[in-house]
């Protein structure tokens, strides 16, 4: 367990912070970084995220793939999280999101794509197996992240410590409220999720976090220009040696 005090005086890497003018520019840059990773290492392990932030990035990746600029046939992927209780056929599940927005549109082998199973009968075992999978993959080459309004990455919610392992989490009321836009009503948003922990995220060789909108400005400032604290989970990324943040206010 990494507490606040342990990291008070620790070394910080330089954040490569790129401010862009709009969401399209953000998506182009993020897609270019991901595709460059795949061109340089065709069998890359990509850590992928869901939510509204990466939608444009995925569209641009699909375009590049259609133009034959990049080949995903040897790529494997490991997603960050999944709601507990939703299976891949549920259109609100993150497996469904990934299949619909990316996997079925590019030449990735779907058998090499991984999303936690939120319907596993033994969720603890599922979490342990997910960490073993990350390790056996040789580690994530590039991890794509969004950021929640409360600073969560994956579904690592604000807490008094950083949780290292993949785990089951109770979603914050603010996250439930924010994600209600995808469901018929707030009551339909699952209350729990399985999320990769900070260990999996921080062990990625490169991290790329994307965020857009004026409503994310305050949390971006806190996370990347404020103190490192588990109360702002994304702030741990300041310790990552290869972090790029792309932000657009519009
Ligand atoms: C999703 C995920 C979350 C989102 C975050 C931001 O896989 O891990 O951390 O990245 O909730 O969501 P959006 O992009 O919808 O603002």
């Amino acid at each position: 367990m990494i507490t606040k005090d342990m990291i008070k005086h620790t070394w910080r890497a330089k954040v490569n912070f790129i401010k862009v003018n709009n969401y399209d520019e953000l998506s182009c840059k993020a897609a270019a970084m991901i595709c460059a990773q795949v061109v340089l290492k065709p069998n890359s392990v990509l850590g992928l995220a869901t939510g509204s932030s990466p939608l444009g990035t995925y569209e641009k990746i699909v375009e590049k793939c259609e133009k034959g600029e990049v080949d995903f046939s040897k790529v494997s992927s490991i997603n960050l999280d999944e709601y507990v209780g939703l299976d891949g056929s549920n259109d609100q599940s993150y497996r469904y999101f990934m299949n619909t927005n990316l996997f079925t549109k590019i030449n990735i082998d779907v058998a090499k794509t991984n999303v936690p199973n939120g319907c596993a009968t033994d969720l603890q075992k599922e979490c342990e197996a997910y960490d073993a999978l990350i390790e056996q993959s040789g580690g994530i080459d590039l991890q794509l992240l969004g950021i929640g309004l409360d600073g969560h990455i994956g579904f690592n919610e604000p807490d008094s410590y950083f949780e290292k392992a993949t785990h089951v989490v109770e979603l914050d009321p603010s996250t439930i409220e924010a994600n209600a836009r995808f469901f018929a009503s707030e009551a339909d948003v699952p209350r729990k999720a399985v999320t990769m922990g900070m260990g999996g995220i921080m062990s990625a060789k490169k991290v790329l976090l994307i965020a857009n909108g004026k409503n994310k400005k305050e949390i971006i400032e806190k996370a990347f220009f404020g103190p490192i604290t588990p109360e702002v989970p994304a702030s741990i990324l300041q310790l990552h040696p290869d972090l790029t943040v792309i932000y657009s206010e519009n």
Side-chain angles (χ1 to χ4, degrees), residues 147-151 211 213-226 232 247 249:
I147 183 171
L149 290 172
D150 61 0
K214 286 193 174 57
N215 62 340
K216 294 263 171 96
K217 194 174 177 200
E218 196 184 328
I219 193 62
I220 286 286
E221 277 164 9
K222 274 193 193 163
F224 302 110
F225 302 98
V232 181
Y247 174 63
E249 227 177 279

Side-chain angles (χ1 to χ4, degrees), residues 49-54 80-81 94 146-148 152-154 181-182 216:
T50 58
S52 44
S53 308
L80 282 167
D81 40 20
Y94 286 170
I147 183 171
H152 70 241
I153 47 175
R181 67 192 194 277
F182 301 114
K216 294 263 171 96

Side-chain angles (χ1 to χ4, degrees), residues 6 13 26 29 34 59 61 123 136 158 173 179 181 223:
M6 283 160 70
L26 177 155
K29 278 204 162 41
I34 295 167
E59 269 173 31
I61 291 176
L123 285 170
Q136 282 153 21
N179 289 5
R181 67 192 194 277

